[in-house]
Amino acid sequence: MCRVISVANQKGGVGKTTTCVNLGIGLVRAGKKVLLVEADAQGSMAVSLGIAEPDELEVTLVNIMEKVINDDDVELGEGIIHHEEGIDFIPANIELAGLETSLVNVMSRETILRQYLDCVKREYDFVIIDCMPSFGMITINALVAADSVLIPVEAAYLPVKGLQQLIKTIGRVRRKLNPTLDIMGILLTKVDRRTNFARDISAQIREVYGNKVHIFENCIPMSVKAAETTAEGKSIYLHDPKGIVAGGYFSLTQEVLADEE
Ligand code: ADP
Ligand code: MG
């Protein structure tokens, strides 16, 4: 059984990509087979995994989705890159923005990604989708393809409004397109442990959302080491194995695994 997790928040810079990469590689280190899918035209997941110029890639998620749209066969493993840390990934680049616009005229446009994942999913224990910071058709595709949504929230201010909107969108997708979609939880990211402010935000989020949505026990601390990994093309486990962010993502991985049992 494979679990498909979409990592979503329409706000940028909250740690979606960092979470996809380090939760994904955390699960690999725990012996799981994991595929990461970049559903973001920015290509920052590709960069985080060592591809310096994603816009120069020949094959990306766009080609795969176009094949599904045209009813062409996607070969096993096509477009999937193997990273040296044992994770598989499908990168994206700027062309995804163009595909998003052209999806408007496509039949079953919300289910293109799901149709593709239904074919490759049996090869993996987890598929993790890195969403773009918007509610466009690509993000809807990611929510339709998912079993669960993980919501990273930056513990920098109380993001009540944005979160309400996201939870509402997830509810709408559940009612209309994907009845079994669940919210796996809110993950607090970039938590500055030196300030009371971050603690206050965490407490407030628990107060406002705690009875509606699961909130992960572990949060991800703020550290410049996390920011550095993006340029390194490797996970935090290799870049700063003993650091607080590696510890945070290790604990999150354990929490996700415990949830499977
Ligand atoms: P998103 O995908 O939501 O836009 P990213 O994962 O790309 O967010 O993170 C945004 C920026 O914050 C990146 O520059 C990243 O390196 C940095 N960052 C992510 N997590 C942390 C952290 N725990 N501490 C410090 N910086 C972080
Ligand atoms: Mg991102």
Side-chain angles (χ1 to χ4, degrees):
M1 277 293 281
C2 173
R3 183 167 188 186
V4 181
I5 301 170
S6 277
V7 176
N9 188 332
Q10 77 278 23
K11 194 172 178 325
V14 298
K16 290 183 290 296
T17 302
T18 307
T19 297
C20 287
V21 168
N22 293 296
L23 171 60
I25 292 177
L27 289 166
V28 167
R29 292 164 72 93
K32 301 293 178 185
K33 282 210 75 186
V34 184
L35 174 68
L36 297 178
V37 178
E38 174 162 40
D40 185 356
Q42 283 175 17
S44 32
M45 175 191 275
V47 174
S48 304
L49 292 168
I51 293 172
E53 302 285 348
D55 288 348
E56 284 166 20
L57 283 167
E58 299 273 330
V59 180
T60 66
L61 182 65
V62 171
N63 307 75
I64 290 170
M65 288 183 74
E66 277 172 347
K67 282 197 160 183
V68 176
I69 292 166
N70 298 326
D71 276 332
D72 292 338
D73 289 333
V74 182
E75 275 162 52
L76 197 67
E78 189 177 339
I80 296 177
I81 300 176
H82 308 287
H83 186 264
E84 60 191 19
E85 288 183 65
I87 203 158
D88 285 356
F89 70 103
I90 302 176
N93 63 20
I94 190 70
E95 287 175 36
L96 194 65
L99 179 74
E100 171 136 54
T101 332
S102 61
L103 270 179
V104 177
N105 299 311
V106 170
M107 206 198 297
S108 310
R109 57 182 182 262
E110 296 96 347
T111 66
I112 306 300
L113 187 54
R114 177 163 75 193
Q115 292 175 55
Y116 166 67
L117 289 182
D118 281 346
C119 304
V120 288
K121 200 153 113 157
R122 72 181 89 93
E123 306 287 321
Y124 296 96
D125 300 306
F126 290 90
V127 174
I128 303 178
I129 308 173
D130 186 18
C131 293
M132 57 172 98
S134 74
F135 289 134
M137 196 44 70
I138 300 290
T139 299
I140 300 299
N141 263 268
L143 295 177
V144 170
D147 301 304
S148 317
V149 191
L150 188 157
I151 308 174
V153 168
E154 187 180 351
Y157 73 116
L158 190 59
V160 175
K161 227 176 162 180
L163 257 179
Q164 274 168 352
Q165 220 183 347
L166 176 58
I167 291 169
K168 226 166 115 183
T169 303
I170 294 167
R172 200 176 302 141
V173 170
R174 187 188 296 130
R175 279 192 303 281
K176 299 194 172 173
L177 296 159
N178 183 4
T180 56
L181 180 65
D182 82 305
I183 299 181
M184 197 175 182
I186 292 175
L187 173 70
L188 289 165
T189 59
K190 297 174 142 183
V191 177
D192 188 348
R193 287 179 177 171
R194 294 164 305 183
T195 65
N196 290 332
F197 183 59
R199 222 165 305 146
D200 290 350
I201 296 289
S202 315
Q204 283 183 49
I205 288 184
R206 281 180 207 283
E207 203 179 298
V208 178
Y209 293 100
N211 57 354
K212 283 182 268 191
V213 182
H214 174 74
I215 296 164
F216 286 101
E217 282 302 317
N218 297 285
C219 54
I220 308 301
M222 166 93 86
S223 160
V224 66
K225 294 288 180 190
E228 287 166 6
T229 55
T230 311
E232 292 268 321
K234 54 189 176 191
S235 73
I236 193 72
Y237 309 108
L238 291 191
H239 181 66
D240 185 32
K242 295 200 161 65
I244 48 177
V245 175
Y249 280 114
F250 176 79
S251 303
L252 173 69
T253 304
Q254 299 307 310
E255 225 180 313
V256 169
L257 287 169
D259 194 44
E260 294 298 294
E261 282 153 13

